Amino acid sequence: MVEKTLAIIKPDAIKKKLTGKIIQRIEDEGFKISGLKMLHLNKEEAKGFYIIHKDKQFYESLTDFMSSGEIVTMVLEREDAISHWRQVMGATDPALAEPGTLRQMFGSSIERNAAHGSDSPTTAEWEINYFYKKE
Ligand code: CMP
């Protein structure tokens, strides 16, 4: 089934000038990019996006990091987009990610892990709406 997912290139990857490589990989994996924006979130916007993690001990640090520099958000479309993008990214912790995945190649810690992807159809809809709300 053709699905949509929300992908983010995080500030660590942007600072390392990996934006082009990650977008190339997305296209090579057969995704259609149907939305793309570079943004610099403020702290409140980062907190809003990660509200689901508000009770986690890493919430403050994660939202500081996600508001520390530019990010690129994208809407990706493909068969099984949600699970396929999660496979391409690899495990949340780069130390546990499979060789060849984006987080294994480009991430430096569980927080600075280069990329984000929605984890379910409900989350994908909510996350896409967060950045691409229809006027
Ligand atoms: P992401 O896929 O963007 O979703 C939530 C983020 O929280 C995750 O990637 C990590 O960058 C970050 N994070 C920081 N610490 C942890 C942790 N202990 N477990 C899971 N996610 C964490």
Side-chain angles (χ1 to χ4, degrees):
M1 194 186 67
V2 175
E3 273 180 338
K4 292 185 186 181
T5 192
L6 191 277
I8 301 180
I9 305 176
K10 295 189 179 185
D12 58 325
I14 304 265
K15 287 196 178 104
K16 291 184 202 162
K17 299 196 164 29
L18 295 167
T19 310
K21 278 201 175 74
I22 293 174
I23 291 176
Q24 186 63 60
R25 176 71 179 271
I26 286 168
E27 295 195 323
D28 291 346
E29 293 285 345
F31 290 100
K32 175 184 166 195
I33 301 172
S34 57
L36 186 149
K37 283 184 197 176
M38 179 173 263
L39 302 167
H40 189 153
L41 301 182
N42 63 33
K43 175 81 173 168
E44 287 312 305
E45 291 165 335
K47 285 174 88 170
F49 180 72
Y50 280 115
I51 193 75
I52 195 161
H53 296 303
K54 69 178 168 37
D55 297 325
K56 307 268 173 57
Q57 44 82 22
F58 58 80
Y59 184 57
E60 276 305 314
S61 170
L62 172 65
T63 52
D64 278 347
F65 164 58
M66 289 300 288
S67 57
S68 69
E70 279 120 345
I71 61 168
V72 169
T73 69
M74 282 167 281
V75 180
L76 306 183
E77 290 185 34
R78 216 198 87 128
E79 284 279 307
D80 297 322
I82 295 169
S83 67
H84 194 76
W85 176 235
R86 291 177 72 79
Q87 273 175 38
V88 172
M89 288 191 300
T92 306
D93 183 348
L96 304 176
E98 292 289 318
T101 60
L102 295 175
R103 285 164 166 168
Q104 182 270 329
M105 292 191 295
F106 303 142
S108 51
S109 71
I110 197 164
E111 181 174 273
R112 291 164 194 258
N113 62 356
H116 167 83
S118 311
D119 65 3
S120 70
T122 312
T123 314
E125 195 182 342
W126 186 90
E127 291 185 350
I128 290 168
N129 191 52
Y130 194 82
F131 292 116
Y132 297 87
K133 206 179 182 76
K134 294 201 177 65
E135 301 304 327

